[in-house]
Amino acid sequence: MNKEPSTVPCGEIILYHSEDGQTCILCRLFQNSLWLNQSLIAELFQVAIPTVNEHLKGIYGDGELSQEATIRKFRIVRQEGTRAVAREIEHYNLEAILAVGYGLIPEKPASQPSSMPVTKP
């Protein structure tokens, strides 16, 4: 009897559609978290994959998040030509996805005026 854990994900899969219909992302829900690969994170935030990769390197390099706690490999079957090929693809949990998104938010320039109204005495 094989007691080795299955590499086939047994979580729920949902599709995310943006309001304008331009973005459709396959989301994997597993062990109480959302998991996306770098390609899907890039699509979600509408940036290039190398941008996501750069942000993830910074997040892990700075010790902001632990790779062991936020990365999981899922076996994905893809069609390559005429054959189906299974590959182990790294997916990042919601905490890592949010950290990337937070890093992509442009900081407000110091010279930009505050939106608070100024009253004179």
Side-chain angles (χ1 to χ4, degrees), residues 1-6:
M1 180 181 281
N2 184 1
K3 295 197 179 216
E4 194 173 306
S6 171

Side-chain angles (χ1 to χ4, degrees), residues 6-86:
S6 171
T7 56
V8 178
C10 54
E12 185 178 351
I13 296 177
I14 60 172
L15 286 175
Y16 163 79
H17 295 276
S18 63
E19 288 183 19
D20 62 6
Q22 296 296 315
T23 304
C24 177
I25 299 175
L26 179 72
C27 301
R28 183 177 311 281
L29 300 175
F30 184 74
Q31 294 180 340
N32 297 322
S33 189
L34 171 73
W35 297 85
L36 297 177
N37 61 33
Q38 284 189 20
S39 174
L40 293 175
I41 295 171
E43 190 174 340
L44 176 65
F45 294 118
Q46 299 177 344
V47 296
I49 295 170
T51 302
V52 171
N53 189 17
E54 180 181 323
H55 280 276
L56 287 167
K57 282 181 183 177
I59 289 164
Y60 295 124
D62 293 344
E64 183 180 339
L65 293 176
S66 160
Q67 290 183 350
E68 295 78 22
T70 58
I71 299 175
R72 185 180 192 293
K73 289 188 178 186
F74 289 99
R75 184 178 301 256
I76 305 297
V77 178
R78 294 184 178 169
Q79 196 69 26
E80 293 182 7
T82 59
R83 35 181 225 145
V85 178

